[in-house]
Amino acid sequence: DILGLVELENTDDTAIQHLRDRLNATLGPGTYEWVRSPFNGQDTIRVALLYKPGRGRLVGSAHATDPSPDQAYTVFKRPSLAQTFEPAGGGPRVTIAVNHFKSKGSCPAEGDPNADQGQGCWNRLRTEQARQLGRFLDQVRRADGSTHALIIGDLNAYGGEDPINALETAGFVDLIEDRLPPEARYTYFGTH
């Protein structure tokens, strides 16, 4: 019902509109719509949300980690996008936040706090992005009257790494850990 997209070309809304149009050409007119982001950032790629209007309605406008009202932008080059939804049949509101945290590549020089120290490069920055995301979503949920929030997208972190731990400290639940038995989970390091 709701799709989070990462690595979408950041050229106004042309790419997301084209994707929506192609989906609707296949699935039927009006099946999907996109969430209008208030701020897409300066990176060449961005995140986006598609949703089925027949399954839920938007509550207010979308929120993004934006440099004017939100100091968190200093840690986000690709802004997080959050939208609160209300199910079509009623029920609790839920905020969906799609994200694309800093990658583990393009390492800074040795001695830099973001050099690889066992969790890939830029771990310190991704951890700060996780902390800021937790604060940002608390503000969004209060503003929109949402009782739940779901973080989706590419956090460029595995379970047990610092960014995931920071989100758990902020009160979020790792659904892979919570819902899947250990033998069904996967990680870069593998299981025994």
Side-chain angles (χ1 to χ4, degrees):
D1 294 338
I2 300 170
L3 304 172
L5 308 168
V6 299
E7 298 201 20
L8 190 70
E9 185 178 13
N10 192 8
T11 53
D12 59 47
D13 287 328
T14 304
I16 187 69
Q17 185 174 354
H18 180 73
L19 181 58
R20 186 258 341 245
D21 292 347
R22 296 291 301 222
L23 284 168
N24 288 345
T26 301
L27 301 172
T31 301
Y32 277 101
E33 189 52 74
W34 85 89
V35 171
R36 274 56 174 187
S37 178
F39 180 70
N40 293 329
Q42 303 299 318
D43 203 345
T44 58
I45 57 175
R46 64 179 244 206
V47 299
L49 285 167
L50 286 167
Y51 71 101
K52 291 182 176 177
R55 300 283 294 153
R57 72 170 188 86
L58 304 180
V59 176
S61 299
H63 306 266
T65 49
D66 179 325
S68 54
D70 189 348
Q71 295 303 314
Y73 182 71
T74 60
V75 300
F76 289 96
K77 299 304 178 213
R78 294 182 288 257
S80 295
L81 174 63
Q83 176 67 58
T84 301
F85 296 88
E86 192 168 73
R93 293 176 174 180
V94 62
T95 300
I96 308 292
V98 63
N99 307 271
H100 190 180
F101 284 7
K102 177 70 175 153
S103 75
K104 294 185 176 191
S106 303
C107 296
E110 281 297 318
D112 185 294
N114 277 300
D116 188 355
Q117 298 176 28
Q119 296 183 46
C121 302
W122 303 103
N123 183 62
R124 186 175 188 179
L125 177 59
R126 283 190 304 281
T127 303
E128 186 56 29
Q129 287 175 325
R131 287 187 189 112
Q132 292 291 341
L133 178 60
R135 292 183 193 113
F136 169 69
L137 286 176
D138 281 345
Q139 293 169 355
V140 171
R141 287 175 57 208
R142 280 194 301 275
D144 291 349
S146 174
T147 55
H148 300 85
L150 179 66
I151 296 170
I152 61 175
D154 186 354
L155 303 183
N156 278 306
Y158 297 103
E161 288 188 348
D162 296 341
I164 304 303
N165 293 337
L167 289 168
E168 289 177 319
T169 298
F172 293 93
V173 175
D174 181 342
L175 293 177
I176 292 172
E177 185 178 316
D178 188 59
R179 303 284 172 97
L180 294 177
E183 64 274 7
R185 299 177 201 157
Y186 64 92
T187 173
Y188 176 79
F189 301 106
T191 58
H192 294 117

